Amino acid sequence: MSFQIAVAKLNSPVKDLVVAFTENGTRHIGEVDKDQAEVAEWIEKAGQPDLASEANIQTLNTTITSRTYLVNNSLTAADVAIYGALHPYFSKLQPTSYYAIPSLTRYFDHIQWSQSVRPHNTAFSVVEFDLANAPAPERKAEPPKKKEKKPATPATENSTPATPAAATAAAAASADKPQKTEKKEKKKKEPSAEQSGKKAEKAPAAAAEDSGEPVPSMIDLRIGRIVDIKKHPDADSLYVELQQIDFGEETGPRTVVSGLVKYVPIEQMQNRLLVGVCNLKPASMRGVKSFAMVLCADNTRKATHKDGKDAGIEVVLPPEGAKPGDKDDLDATPLSQLNPKKKIFETIQP
């Protein structure tokens, strides 16, 4: 089904909103044929009378859980059509109801406040959400995989059993040796009173910094710009932004290693704005220490990357007007360094 046919089936004012947003089908309808077909399918769903049924709402909530937008990780007419069609439904919801579908609520609120949508959104009132009192989501990191122990190898037929004489000789030899009954305990060096005082002062501060449930404000997300980049000398799949990602710090750019060679051409990485996780513990990757991580999104729905590279990974784009050093949340107080044993970032990431 084409875009024009799908839009023609919509009722006003959703139809008017989609037409205005796309400038009569000339923008935001998908860059390639596959995306355009998917956009048309979502617009057709937006025109169905049972879109807001309980089953479809739960399906949409699950579908949008790991996505920002419906098609190809970019704002399209599909998002605007679904937003407009769901507006009457969300307008009547009580907090307990939209708390039960957090992903769809987050998505709906994001679309209604989008700067690209607001100028055309005059027929739809803003739906206010009481997010301050929303229940905290349960976040659990995946447990580490345990290595299975190999079963003990049974004795083979070729194994030679010990003779009675040999067993008797071994027992006699062990009897001649004095047996140790207790291991000497190592004397622990007791800290001085001054050292004990310092440890007592530091302990409460360290416990308070990352105590409690992991929350997004613990992560130090900052805007950075790649000013130079090259491939890792010892790994074909790794880029080394060698001391050349500018996060707006007085100490200068950071060394960052990222495994994006198979996903993003080096020409697109040069001078690129990105979002970096800046309070991870520095880690060595093939002999080069990395002091941050480039934030990316997994878009495995795509069969192939539009540039011919392997599908799946895209660099997260900062908002318009962002500059190196900007933080995602000015009110947040991130930890100075994330404790890798607590898996804070792994628990919070989608």
Side-chain angles (χ1 to χ4, degrees):
M1 178 179 293
S2 68
F3 170 81
Q4 298 294 348
I5 295 176
V7 172
K9 296 182 178 182
L10 295 175
N11 296 322
S12 294
V14 179
K15 177 180 178 181
D16 301 331
L17 175 61
V18 173
V19 170
F21 174 71
T22 61
E23 297 182 8
N24 202 22
T26 60
R27 300 179 62 196
H28 306 301
I29 62 172
E31 296 182 4
V32 296
D33 292 343
K34 181 184 175 182
D35 293 345
Q36 292 173 6
E38 196 170 352
V39 168
E41 289 178 7
W42 279 109
I43 294 176
E44 184 181 14
K45 290 180 181 179
Q48 295 174 356
D50 63 343
L51 177 68
S53 67
E54 181 64 23
N56 286 338
I57 289 296
Q58 293 300 327
T59 300
L60 281 171
N61 184 64
T62 302
T63 300
I64 207 65
T65 297
S66 59
R67 305 186 194 180
T68 303
Y69 303 107
L70 291 171
V71 180
N72 197 15
N73 202 32
S74 59
L75 181 64
T76 66
D79 302 296
V80 175
I82 293 295
Y83 155 75
L86 290 178
H87 188 275
Y89 170 79
F90 272 101
S91 299
K92 300 175 182 178
L93 285 188
Q94 296 299 314
T96 53
S97 297
Y98 58 72
Y99 290 160
I101 46 173
S103 297
L104 190 58
T105 301
R106 178 263 305 164
Y107 167 78
F108 180 90
D109 195 41
H110 175 62
I111 300 301
Q112 77 169 346
W113 288 108
S114 172
Q115 294 181 357
S116 300
V117 178
R118 290 306 303 164
H120 312 290
N121 199 16
T122 55
F124 296 86
S125 60
V126 173
V127 178
E128 300 290 347
F129 294 105
D130 181 17
L131 302 181
N133 296 314
E138 294 184 6
R139 302 180 183 272
K140 295 182 180 179
E142 293 184 2
K145 295 181 180 179
K146 295 182 179 180
K147 294 184 179 179
E148 296 182 0
K149 294 182 179 180
K150 294 183 179 180
T153 306
T156 61
E157 294 180 0
N158 296 331
S159 301
T160 304
T163 62
T168 304
S174 61
D176 293 339
K177 293 181 181 179
Q179 296 184 2
K180 297 179 181 179
T181 57
E182 294 181 359
K183 292 183 179 180
K184 294 182 179 180
E185 294 184 1
K186 293 183 179 180
K187 292 184 179 181
K188 296 181 180 180
K189 186 178 180 182
E190 295 185 2
S192 63
E194 183 181 352
Q195 290 175 333
S196 300
K198 289 182 179 179
K199 289 183 179 180
E201 291 176 2
K202 292 181 180 179
E209 189 179 20
D210 57 1
S211 61
E213 291 294 323
V215 292
S217 60
M218 292 180 176
I219 301 175
D220 186 2
L221 296 177
R222 293 188 225 165
I223 307 301
R225 182 185 295 279
I226 302 175
V227 291
D228 193 16
I229 186 171
K230 61 183 179 182
K231 288 187 178 180
H232 195 294
D234 299 323
D236 294 337
S237 63
L238 300 179
Y239 283 132
V240 179
E241 293 86 6
L242 189 54
Q243 303 226 345
Q244 294 301 318
I245 288 193
D246 177 17
F247 287 107
E249 298 170 303
E250 294 181 358
T251 53
R254 296 192 184 197
T255 301
V256 180
V257 181
S258 59
L260 297 172
V261 171
K262 294 182 179 180
Y263 306 101
V264 185
I266 194 169
E267 295 80 12
Q268 294 185 16
M269 293 290 286
Q270 291 171 346
N271 202 39
R272 179 175 189 148
L273 276 177
L274 49 78
V275 180
V277 182
C278 294
N279 60 341
L280 295 174
K281 184 177 180 180
S284 294
M285 301 179 70
R286 294 290 185 93
V288 178
K289 184 163 283 190
S290 181
F291 292 89
M293 181 176 69
V294 177
L295 194 64
C296 296
D298 184 0
N299 188 14
T300 53
R301 296 180 301 112
K302 297 174 65 178
T304 56
H305 194 279
K306 59 186 178 183
D307 296 302
K309 298 289 182 179
D310 293 343
I313 306 297
E314 296 182 4
V315 179
V316 173
L317 298 176
E320 294 183 8
K323 60 183 183 300
D326 288 350
K327 295 189 176 183
D328 68 319
D329 186 354
L330 297 178
D331 297 328
T333 53
L335 302 180
S336 56
Q337 186 176 101
L338 299 180
N339 186 342
K341 293 182 179 180
K342 293 195 172 184
K343 297 186 178 296
I344 295 174
F345 180 77
E346 291 81 356
T347 303
I348 291 173
Q349 68 178 351

